[in-house]
Structures are given as structure tokens and as C-alpha cells.
């Protein structure tokens, strides 16, 4: 089978397609999944460059979220061959999703309704659960909110879920006109390009005198400090850009003086075994009912995984980027 390996850190070309032995079930509680879609995540781009909080040991096969069909199933799994499943590999500390076949414990698989495509099922895993937990942790009900990287995988789902949760006003920030259009099509009331001049003044004006009740910032970097200025006096900055924290001292002082809040957000510690299945099932049901629509912004054959990474890294992608067989 084909799988994508990295043997050294560096540019996208280090992602090498190799012919590997197809994995086999060894225990009665295991399943063999024929992967129909797997997800590319921004953190994998950072990992490939060895710029992430965690350095993977090499050689490695990235990929923490897959969806596909059961090719074979151990007798204790109770899952029929041919079933459609989603497997959030990250929830069991696994990777290896950039491949044609994956063996996992049957307990890791979440049934996938016919009405939800393999691609959507992948988009709903890391990004969907992140958006769901962000909204649960810091409810936007009745609030004015600002969302960064709003045209991306997390951003597009966060806009939809924030709107459903009763956000009063959603202002989106993104890095291209196409992403701004995407953000507005998902429900943002206003969208500004933070790679063009004057975005910060436009945001302040959009926030009004009071400011934003919540800023959901999953990007981080130098712009994060300016969001503190835009918060209401009791506002919350929900910060989910691991390793890219950049609050300067004046902003920290302002937060302390005004009694505003910065909340760190990390998905992994929130993932309890039973809860992942429950939460993914909820996201699948919302999608099947037409109440949530994952945006698939790019499909790349596994063979062209390097191009998929280039696409994300050069900030061209909207929504979720998927690898297909
Ligand atoms: N805390 C957690 O548990 C958690 C979980 C999932 C994701 N995340 C974070 O949430 C963010 C969004 O994740 P995603 O998977 O949905 O990715 P994504 O939004 O689909 O893609 C990444 C986006 O980040 C923005 N960006 C900012 N600086 C960038 C740079 N130097 N290079 C490339 N892109 C840059 C780009 O949007 P613009 O051009 O619009 O700025 C890009 O489209 C990422 O920072 C990710 O690490 C955190």
C-alpha cells in the first residue's frame, strides 16, 4: 500500500510516498480501515519543519484523522466489514493517517452515517471538535465575537457553531479576499483582511464602544496583543495557537488592570474516551441534518501530499484540506 513518510525535517518535498506493507489485524479487537479520506492539519506543517511544540521521532507518517470503510474486522469488534467509519487517531495518541490502510482497535472507530461524506467526517474531527469545545468552553450566546483565521478549517466551523449558539455579532478576520468571502458565506456579519492596512481600526469600529465580548484566536503571533484593546472590560480572549503566544507586557498589564480574561485552549486534554465518540456523533448528526456544513477547500491525491502541505503553508487553503486515495 502507499503511505507517506518523512525521514528528515524540511520543505514539503520531505514528504515521500513509499510502498509499505499493508498492515494486518493481529487481535480480535482490531479493525483494518481502507482510508477514503485523511486530513491535513496546520500543526503537521509546523511539525514537518520541526517548529511545533512536539518533535516527532523519524521516520514518521503524519495524519491523525481518517475516514473510510472496514476492510476486515476482528471477531470481538462487532463491526461488520464494509461499514463506514471515522477514526480520530489523535484521540488514541496515534498518527499514520497519510496511508491507504490503517489498523486500530475497533473501539476507536465512530460509525459514520451515509449522509456524511468521508471528507466531511475528516473535517469534523480535529477542526470540528476544536470549534465545538471552543463554543462550549466560552459560550458566544448573546455576545459579539471576533474570530481569526476565519476562512480556515477551525474558523469556518466556529462561525457556524457560534451562530447556532446565539452569537449576537460575528466579525471574521482572514488573510485573503477569498477567505473573507468564505467566512461571510458561513455566517460572519463582517469580515476584514488582517494582511491589509487598517484592519485593526476597522475591527475596533465594528466592535463599537464596548468592544468584543469574546475573541477566539487560533492563530497567535504579533497581532494577538491588539485584540486585548478590542475586548470589553469583562471580555475573554480564548487563545488556541499553541506555541505562538505573543502577548506583550502592556497588553498583559491592561488585562490585569481591567479584569479581562485570557483562557488557553488545548483540544487534547479535553478528549475523554467516551466523550470523543459522543461529540463526533453530535457533529455527524448536525451535518446529516444540514445544520453544519464543513467546507472542503482542497482535495489532493495521497501521491501529492507535498502539494497539500504547500497549499496550507502558503495560506491558500480555505476550510479543510483532504488527502484522497
Ligand atoms: N489549541 C488547539 O487544540 C487547536 C486545535 C486545532 C487547531 N488549532 C490551531 O488553530 C489554527 C487553525 O487551524 P486549522 O487546522 O483550522 O488551520 P487552517 O485555518 O485551515 O489553516 C491555517 C491558517 O492559519 C493562518 N495562518 C496564520 N499565520 C500563518 C502562517 N505563518 N502560515 C500559514 N498559515 C498561517 C492562515 O489563515 P489566514 O491567512 O486567514 O491568516 C491559514 O489558512 C492553527 O493555528 C492550529 O494550530 C489549535
Amino acid at each position: 500500500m502507499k503511505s507517506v513518510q518523512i525521514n528528515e525535517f524540511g520543505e514539503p518535498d520531505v514528504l515521500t510516498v513509499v510502498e509499505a506493507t499493508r498492515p494486518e489485524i493481529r487481535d480480535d479487537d482490531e479493525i483494518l480501515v481502507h482510508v477514503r479520506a485523511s486530513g491535513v492539519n496546520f500543526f503537521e506543517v509546523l511539525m514537518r519543519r520541526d517548529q511545533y511544540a512536539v518533535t516527532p521521532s523519524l521516520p514518521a507518517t503524519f495524519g491523525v484523522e481518517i475516514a473510510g470503510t472496514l476492510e476486515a474486522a476482528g471477531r470481538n469488534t462487532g463491526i461488520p466489514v464494509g461499514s463506514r467509519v471515522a477514526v480520530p487517531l489523535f484521540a488514541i495518541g496515534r498518527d499514520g493517517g497519510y496511508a491507504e490502510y490503517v489498523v486500530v482497535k475497533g473501539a476507536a472507530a465512530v460509525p459514520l452515517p451515509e449522509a456524511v461524506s468521508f471528507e466531511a467526517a475528516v473535517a469534523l474531527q480535529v477542526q470540528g471538535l476544536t470549534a465545538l469545545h471552543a463554543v462550549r468552553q466560552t459560550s458566544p450566546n448573546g455576545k459579539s465575537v471576533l474570530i481569526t483565521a476565519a476562512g480556515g478549517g477551525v474558523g469556518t466551523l466556529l462561525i457556524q457553531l457560534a451562530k447556532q449558539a446565539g452569537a449576537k455579532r460575528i466579525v471574521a478576520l482572514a488573510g485573503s479576499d477569498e477567505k473573507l468571502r468564505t467566512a461571510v458565506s458561513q455566517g460572519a456579519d463582517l469580515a476584514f483582511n488582517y494582511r491589509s492596512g487598517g484592519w485593526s481600526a476597522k475591527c475596533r469600529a465594528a466592535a463599537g464602544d464596548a468592544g468584543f465580548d469574546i475573541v477566539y484566536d487560533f492563530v497567535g503571533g504579533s497581532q494577538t496583543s491588539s485584540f486585548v484593546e478590542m475586548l470589553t472590560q469583562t471580555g475573554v480572549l480564548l487563545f488556541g495557537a499553541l506555541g505562538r503566544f505573543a502577548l506583550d507586557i502592556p497588553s498583559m498589564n491592561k488585562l490585569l488592570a481591567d479584569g479581562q480574561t485570557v483562557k488557553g485552549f488545548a483540544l487534547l486534554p479535553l478528549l475523554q474516551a467516551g466523550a470523543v465518540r459522543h461529540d463526533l456523533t453530535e457533529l455527524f448528526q448536525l451535518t446529516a441534518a444540514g445544520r453544519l456544513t464543513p467546507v472542503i477547500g482542497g482535495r489532493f491525491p495521497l501521491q501529492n501530499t507535498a502539494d497539500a502541505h504547500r497549499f496550507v503553508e502558503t495560506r491558500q487553503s480555505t476550510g479543510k484540506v483532504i488527502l484522497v486515495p
Side-chain angles (χ1 to χ4, degrees):
M1 68 156 189
K2 283 191 191 58
S3 90
V4 178
Q5 240 182 44
I6 98 158
N7 295 295
E8 57 181 323
F9 298 112
E11 297 299 319
D13 291 335
V14 298
L15 293 157
T16 314
V17 181
V18 296
E19 228 12 89
T21 310
R22 195 173 105 167
E24 283 176 14
I25 293 178
R26 297 196 188 283
D27 284 314
D28 288 342
D29 61 353
E30 289 182 336
I31 54 172
L32 171 66
V33 181
H34 184 183
V35 180
R36 302 304 174 97
S38 63
V40 173
N41 278 287
F42 184 61
F43 78 83
E44 290 160 352
V45 168
L46 299 176
M47 246 183 194
R48 197 203 69 232
R49 293 188 167 278
D50 196 18
Q51 290 171 355
Y52 192 57
V54 180
T55 297
S57 43
L58 301 182
T61 295
F62 292 166
V64 296
E65 47 189 4
I66 57 172
T69 47
L70 244 67
E71 187 81 3
R75 76 171 78 111
N76 293 345
T77 61
I79 317 176
V81 169
S83 304
R84 303 170 85 248
V85 291
V87 188
L89 295 169
F90 55 92
I92 51 168
R94 280 274 309 271
D95 56 13
Y98 291 10
E100 285 182 301
Y101 292 90
V102 171
V103 167
V104 284
K105 299 281 184 204
V110 181
L112 185 61
E114 281 296 333
V116 181
S117 69
F118 293 122
E119 297 177 0
V122 165
L124 291 167
Q125 294 184 37
V126 172
Q127 274 88 1
L129 290 172
T130 297
L132 185 73
H133 281 284
V135 163
R136 276 192 195 153
Q137 200 178 85
T138 305
S139 168
N141 188 15
K143 310 270 169 130
S144 65
V145 308
L146 179 67
I147 296 176
T148 62
V154 171
T156 48
L157 291 167
L158 188 51
I159 292 171
Q160 295 180 57
L161 290 174
K163 188 122 196 149
Q164 285 186 34
K168 186 172 69 188
R169 183 164 221 219
I170 300 176
V171 177
L173 284 174
S176 73
D177 290 346
E178 191 192 345
K179 290 179 192 174
L180 299 185
R181 281 192 292 277
T182 302
V184 169
S185 71
Q186 302 310 302
D189 299 294
L190 284 170
F192 303 118
N193 187 337
Y194 49 12
R195 295 174 90 188
S196 66
W199 66 268
S200 157
K202 286 179 194 162
C203 263
R204 274 197 193 88
D209 290 341
F212 291 107
D213 298 303
I214 306 170
V215 175
Y216 295 103
D217 183 17
F218 282 89
V219 173
S222 55
Q223 66 209 359
T224 298
S225 284
S226 45
F227 300 140
V228 172
E229 294 288 325
M230 301 177 195
L231 283 175
T232 61
Q233 207 155 8
T234 53
V236 179
L237 170 64
L238 190 78
F239 185 84
L242 304 176
R244 303 185 75 207
F245 198 62
L247 270 187
D248 56 25
I249 299 294
S251 306
M252 296 283 269
N253 284 337
K254 181 178 181 310
L255 283 166
L256 293 174
D258 288 356
Q260 294 160 319
T261 304
V262 184
K263 272 192 196 173
F265 179 93
L267 180 64
L268 280 186
L270 298 170
L271 300 174
Q272 283 135 19
V276 173
R277 170 178 292 264
H278 175 273
D279 291 342
L280 266 186
T281 302
E282 178 179 333
L283 290 168
F284 293 160
Q285 283 168 351
L286 283 173
T287 305
R291 293 178 55 209
L292 188 63
T293 309
V295 175
I296 309 300
R299 293 170 184 82
F300 292 82
L302 195 58
Q303 192 82 33
N304 300 345
T305 300
D307 291 337
H309 268 230
R310 264 184 219 104
F311 191 57
V312 172
E313 168 162 51
T314 53
R315 301 174 75 158
Q316 296 177 72
S317 60
T318 53
K320 182 71 184 173
V321 175
I322 302 282
L323 300 175
V324 291

